[in-house]
Amino acid sequence: MEATRPFDFANLHFKGEGGTLIPLLQKVQTEEGYISKERIEEIHRKTGVPLSHIFGVATFYAQFRLRPVGRNIIKVCHGTACHVAGANAISASLKDILQIGDGETTPDRAFTVETVSCLGCCSLAPVIMVNKDTHGNLAPADLRKALAPYRSGKA
Amino acid sequence: MKILVGLGTCGIAAGAAATYAAVLSRTGPLDGSCRVEKTGCAGMCYREPLVEVRDDDGTRWQYGQITPARVDRLVSEHVVNGSPVTDWLVWTSGGKGQEQAFIDRQHRIVLENCGVIDPEKIEEYLEKGGYQALEKVLARKDPDGLIGQIIESGLRGRGGAGFLTGMKWRFTRLAPGKQKYVICNADEGDPGAFMDRSVLESDPHAVLEGMAIAGHAIGATKGYIYVRAEYPLAVERLTIAIAQAEARGLLGDGILGTGFEFHVSLKEGAGAFVCGEETALIASIEGRRGMPRVRPPFPAVKGLWESPTNINNVETFANVPWIVRNGAEAFSRLGTAKSKGTKVFAMAGKIRRGGLVEVPMGISIREIVHDVCGGIKENRKFKAVQMGGPSGGCIPAELEDTVIDYESINKTGAIMGSGGLVVVDETTCMVDMARFFLDFTQRESCGKCTFCRIGTRRMLEILSRITAGQGVDGDIEKLESLALLVKNNSLCGLGQTAPNPVLTTLKYFRAEYEAHISNRKCPAHQCQALLTYTINEKCNGCGVCGRACSAKAITGEKRKPHVIDHEKCIRCDECYRACRFDAITRM
Ligand SMILES: Cc1cc2nc3c(=O)[nH]c(=O)nc-3n(C[C@H](O)[C@H](O)[C@H](O)COP(=O)(O)O)c2cc1C
């Protein structure tokens, strides 16, 4: 249906170009950490893009989060090289330490854990990324120490 | 003299930013004859952080694993006293490094400037002959001749399918339409692939120049780079590069004083593997869910905003300026009858030297694995290479003489793919490997085609069951028939190729599947559910295993052999890893 019934993107122009819904959602997420219901409604009111379309796009792409996140985001790489190097053990150990699964946030909002496809640092496998820091060549036993500075807000 | 610090994503991940700061503060007090610069990725990921000392005559000394603590000795000995620190030398232009083979066996066209120039300075790209190719084609004003040259070079798309680039340009040029577009596909979604990221981070202008040349060839004035959201550094460097090129009149209106205009914008992806597929990518740029559509019409005829659009991969564009500068013949001299030039591979897995390599087409897998990458780590046995990620397959060690060329790789059941090459040894279970990829494709299926959406899920369930020790007779046959159905009934490449990891592992490693199902054994000792841990006669009762065991399944008196309670054992492998006497048997 989408291909045959194009939307009027006229109101959506962003520096004179069409196709700005995704950059808009990205901007919201960068600024607020996630995309709230209020923001989706606001985008709808300001641009006229149907709510269903905005929600459809927001749920299609893995990048968009519809729930608030913790102060620190842990991305656990599950690319091929990390898988071969034991990423499953890293995920299991994280679950053990933080008591949360993929996509979840600790009750104290210190951490959110996300599984990602590939961070592209394959020769450092297995790799996790905490906020913007990459930690490579990890063993499950290293995790507690690696996370401590983030928990205390010192990193 | 200059010092260059490799600041690509993998370098930074390995601590290169701290090294860079340490070099700056160590050289600061010197007399100023030694400059410090940033550069991109030299490809030797396994020895990051990399620091190069370059003499004024251009002699290069590449040092590996230069942590901040090593900076002082490096600068004191090499820069101040003029005597290179041989202990840490990995490669030199004079052939004196410890790992000379890694670079010497390569042939660098796409990676020519990677790790050589500062990607944030257009002057350095210009010094290397940058934008001369664009100048040449704009002066010649012969787009058809240019397209002819690209066809003649034999350049094929590096994004996976290997379509002749010049032919694609010709179709887009001939398609009717006033507004045309060039898109650079930098979505690089294959797990295990990072070639495009390195090129964008280390030599962004080569890609921009290639796009502008394509724009001139097809008659487009606008280009988009669709780049993965997970590549923030690539986005940053591209943004700088575009601004610098515009400021010098190499992009934008009236390029190089001619009437040619070409504007480039970035579009960041939002984390969907399927958006690497060209029609899905276009939908995503247009602000929709990234779902592929039926082709034809191909994007060359009806693409972005319904206009003729030429889409190429990052590496494809990066080859173009070289071909224009050096001629089609120089390019087609490299490679095999139907695959010309070079290919960049992201080497990862169980090899000694992992990183980015660019080799001429026609080289064998054996040469890449053993000669360039130094063979398998810890002297284990080479088992297979996985090429082409979730769309590709495993090529077993017996076929290591297969050469890198589109047709030869296809014959094995794998595909050239975009360049991810993961090497595995005997400790990797091939059924688990297939399961890993099906888990990926099942999650990434956009859901439009039933066979892809549900078929991949059913295949995953069977593979999960087999690796969990619950396989049943008939599972292999079921996998085979589902694989065919998914392959034949999916619209886009995602579904059409998703069964490849299963089909190739079944073709070459069928016995492993059978061992899981019939004997409840994982020959690679990887599938946890199928392992049994026992303590053998080598046990001296040191107690380390018992302390490592979180399930409290190990008991025994001090200095007497211990035992594992199989009911309690959760097969976490901790005891096996903790034991220093080889006293734990894992079967
Ligand atoms: C599921 C799927 C994912 C793809 N991902 C990529 C990608 O990440 N990068 C890429 O260049 N091509 C990718 N492709 C191939 C593109 O559809 C397209 O063929 C390519 O960008 C054309 O460029 P080329 O001719 O230079 O290879 C993908 C195809 C499929 C079916």
Side-chain angles (χ1 to χ4, degrees):
Chain A
M1 279 305 274
E2 276 170 354
T4 52
R5 197 164 47 104
F7 287 108
D8 174 15
F9 279 95
N11 294 320
L12 245 178
H13 283 201
F14 196 75
K15 284 198 233 145
E17 287 169 17
T20 54
L21 179 58
I22 293 172
L24 259 174
L25 292 171
Q26 283 168 331
K27 198 161 156 33
V28 170
Q29 181 155 304
T30 311
E31 281 172 16
E32 305 183 353
Y34 78 110
I35 297 162
S36 60
K37 188 168 165 241
E38 292 69 32
R39 284 285 177 260
I40 291 184
E41 284 167 353
E42 194 181 332
I43 293 175
H44 160 66
R45 275 196 311 276
K46 291 201 171 140
T47 63
V49 175
L51 272 177
S52 59
H53 183 84
I54 304 173
F55 189 70
V57 168
T59 50
F60 183 85
Y61 294 97
Q63 185 190 28
F64 297 127
R65 306 184 196 98
L66 301 180
R67 281 202 204 109
V69 285
R71 291 188 298 282
N72 300 289
I73 296 183
I74 306 175
K75 292 186 175 154
V76 190
C77 182
H78 276 249
T80 318
C82 287
H83 178 76
V84 172
N88 283 339
I90 300 287
S91 282
S93 175
L94 265 181
K95 194 166 179 182
D96 226 37
I97 296 171
L98 300 174
Q99 297 290 316
I100 52 168
D102 182 26
E104 294 175 357
T105 301
T106 51
D108 63 357
R109 296 228 169 278
F111 295 104
T112 297
V113 175
E114 289 180 351
T115 297
V116 296
S117 297
C118 187
L119 293 169
C121 313
C122 305
S123 49
L124 301 173
V127 176
I128 66 168
M129 203 162 153
V130 187
N131 307 328
K132 290 203 161 162
D133 312 330
T134 311
H135 300 259
N137 294 319
L138 286 170
D142 304 333
L143 285 170
R144 249 176 235 281
K145 212 173 124 204
L147 296 184
Y150 299 96
R151 191 187 292 279
S152 62
K154 283 195 195 101
Chain B
M1 192 179 264
K2 4 187 218 198
I3 300 184
L4 298 99
V5 182
L7 289 161
T9 295
C10 0
I12 294 172
T19 300
Y20 181 68
V23 172
L24 278 182
S25 69
R26 177 62 184 82
T27 53
L30 299 181
D31 63 2
S33 63
C34 175
R35 276 180 297 144
V36 181
E37 290 186 3
K38 294 181 191 175
T39 188
C41 167
M44 290 183 162
C45 302
Y46 65 106
R47 296 299 287 265
E48 297 278 9
L50 290 168
V51 172
E52 181 188 328
V53 178
R54 197 178 298 169
D55 297 341
D56 292 329
D57 66 1
T59 309
R60 303 174 57 192
W61 310 81
Q62 186 76 260
Y63 290 100
Q65 283 143 331
I66 303 301
T67 50
R70 287 179 163 187
V71 167
D72 183 54
R73 181 174 159 203
L74 179 69
V75 175
S76 306
E77 293 188 17
H78 192 154
V79 179
V80 179
N81 295 333
S83 54
V85 188
T86 39
D87 299 355
W88 304 331
L89 263 183
V90 286
W91 176 84
T92 75
S93 55
K96 293 196 189 117
Q98 299 155 4
E99 315 225 2
Q100 212 62 31
F102 183 77
I103 299 283
D104 291 352
R105 290 297 309 261
Q106 298 189 44
H107 192 110
R108 294 189 160 201
I109 291 179
V110 172
L111 303 181
E112 200 179 13
N113 293 329
C114 296
V116 178
I117 64 169
D118 182 340
E120 296 179 11
K121 292 198 182 126
I122 192 170
E123 299 79 12
E124 299 204 2
Y125 181 67
L126 292 169
E127 255 170 53
K128 294 277 169 194
Y131 289 103
Q132 281 174 11
L134 179 63
E135 199 175 340
K136 203 161 157 180
V137 303
L138 292 184
R140 273 201 306 236
K141 292 200 181 61
D142 178 16
D144 292 306
L146 166 62
I147 290 175
Q149 183 182 35
I150 301 296
I151 293 178
E152 208 185 307
S153 76
L155 175 64
R156 294 169 68 169
R158 300 295 193 239
F163 195 80
L164 262 182
T165 303
M167 290 302 286
K168 210 192 254 185
W169 290 14
R170 179 172 285 165
F171 293 142
T172 320
R173 175 164 181 79
L174 294 176
K178 267 225 306 276
Q179 178 69 57
K180 294 181 185 178
Y181 296 99
V182 173
I183 296 178
C184 172
N185 188 342
D187 198 40
E188 197 166 65
D190 285 7
F194 52 90
M195 311 72 54
D196 294 350
R197 190 205 70 210
S198 284
V199 173
L200 295 172
E201 287 177 359
S202 310
D203 198 12
H205 286 287
V207 179
L208 294 175
E209 187 179 2
M211 288 178 72
I213 293 171
H216 172 69
I218 67 168
T221 55
K222 175 89 204 153
Y224 287 95
I225 304 179
Y226 187 88
V227 55
R228 247 186 119 194
E230 289 88 341
Y231 289 174
L233 188 61
V235 171
E236 190 184 314
R237 296 214 170 129
L238 277 169
T239 309
I240 296 174
I242 292 170
Q244 290 179 343
E246 283 173 352
R248 289 191 173 238
L250 296 164
L251 283 181
D253 295 317
I255 294 176
L256 287 161
T258 66
F260 176 58
E261 73 172 280
F262 192 71
H263 302 264
V264 179
S265 319
L266 295 182
K267 283 278 176 182
E268 280 185 62
F273 172 64
V274 73
C275 287
E277 196 279 336
E278 53 192 27
T279 60
L281 188 154
I282 288 171
S284 181
I285 294 185
E286 291 175 351
R288 294 185 279 123
R289 288 163 75 98
M291 290 178 144
R293 61 157 173 81
V294 185
R295 297 176 307 175
F298 285 90
V301 176
K302 229 173 192 194
L304 188 62
W305 321 116
E306 313 256 292
S307 299
T309 302
N310 178 76
I311 301 194
N312 282 123
N313 166 263
V314 171
E315 192 183 329
T316 313
F317 282 124
N319 272 296
V320 168
W322 193 95
I323 294 171
V324 173
R325 277 202 316 274
N326 298 282
E329 212 261 327
F331 190 81
S332 64
R333 228 180 291 144
L334 289 165
T336 62
K338 283 177 157 178
S339 303
K340 304 297 188 187
T342 60
K343 180 77 197 86
V344 181
F345 288 103
M347 302 295 304
K350 307 283 176 78
I351 33 165
R352 285 212 179 86
R353 307 187 193 122
L356 217 57
V357 307
E358 180 172 359
V359 287
M361 296 276 191
I363 194 172
S364 69
I365 289 174
R366 183 172 44 74
E367 290 170 281
I368 299 182
V369 171
H370 297 286
D371 302 345
V372 182
C373 295
I376 308 296
K377 270 190 219 168
E378 296 166 29
N379 289 322
R380 291 222 177 90
K381 222 175 117 220
F382 170 38
K383 184 172 182 179
V385 294
Q386 206 289 339
M387 280 183 78
S391 312
C394 288
I395 302 179
E398 302 92 84
L399 297 182
E400 66 180 359
D401 284 315
T402 306
V403 297
I404 300 296
D405 107 343
Y406 291 91
E407 284 71 24
S408 312
I409 304 282
N410 286 349
K411 243 185 257 160
T412 67
I415 60 163
M416 176 82 87
S418 58
L421 212 158
V422 180
V423 180
V424 301
D425 65 15
E426 81 259 24
T427 63
T428 303
C429 170
M430 301 315 272
V431 188
D432 178 71
M433 185 88 166
R435 199 200 75 84
F436 166 76
F437 283 115
L438 259 291
D439 179 46
F440 180 84
T441 36
Q442 176 271 132
R443 255 184 296 124
E444 295 293 340
S445 169
C446 79
K448 185 165 181 164
C449 309
T450 316
F451 282 90
C452 178
R453 182 180 71 240
I454 302 174
T456 54
R457 178 159 291 195
R458 292 290 97 87
M459 289 177 76
L460 173 64
E461 283 165 6
I462 297 174
L463 291 163
S464 301
R465 172 160 95 211
I466 297 175
T467 53
Q470 287 154 6
V472 293
D473 275 347
D475 272 351
I476 294 182
E477 292 71 22
K478 234 180 240 165
L479 275 175
E480 282 170 328
S481 80
L482 273 169
L484 273 184
L485 288 169
V486 174
K487 229 174 168 32
N488 295 335
N489 295 289
S490 300
L491 192 62
C492 87
L494 194 151
Q496 287 162 5
T497 60
N500 285 349
V502 177
L503 291 172
T504 53
T505 47
L506 271 174
K507 182 166 166 191
Y508 300 116
F509 300 97
R510 200 181 183 93
E512 271 189 51
Y513 281 80
E514 286 162 351
H516 282 75
I517 298 171
S518 315
N519 309 334
R520 299 280 187 250
K521 286 282 168 235
C522 172
H525 301 315
Q526 196 195 337
C527 295
Q528 287 187 350
L530 296 172
L531 294 177
T532 328
Y533 291 82
T534 44
I535 293 180
N536 61 40
E537 71 293 342
K538 289 186 195 147
C539 178
N540 61 12
C542 74
V544 164
C545 58
R547 286 192 290 277
C549 178
S550 59
K552 308 222 178 323
I554 302 181
T555 48
E557 271 176 60
K558 241 192 181 148
R559 285 187 212 95
K560 297 252 170 72
H562 284 40
V563 280
I564 299 179
D565 180 341
H566 295 290
E567 295 288 304
K568 285 191 186 156
C569 174
I570 57 166
R571 305 179 185 96
C572 65
D573 214 44
E574 290 295 339
C575 58
Y576 184 80
R577 271 181 281 167
C579 180
R580 275 161 299 164
F581 303 99
D582 233 356
I584 300 202
T585 313
R586 197 174 63 168
M587 291 277 296

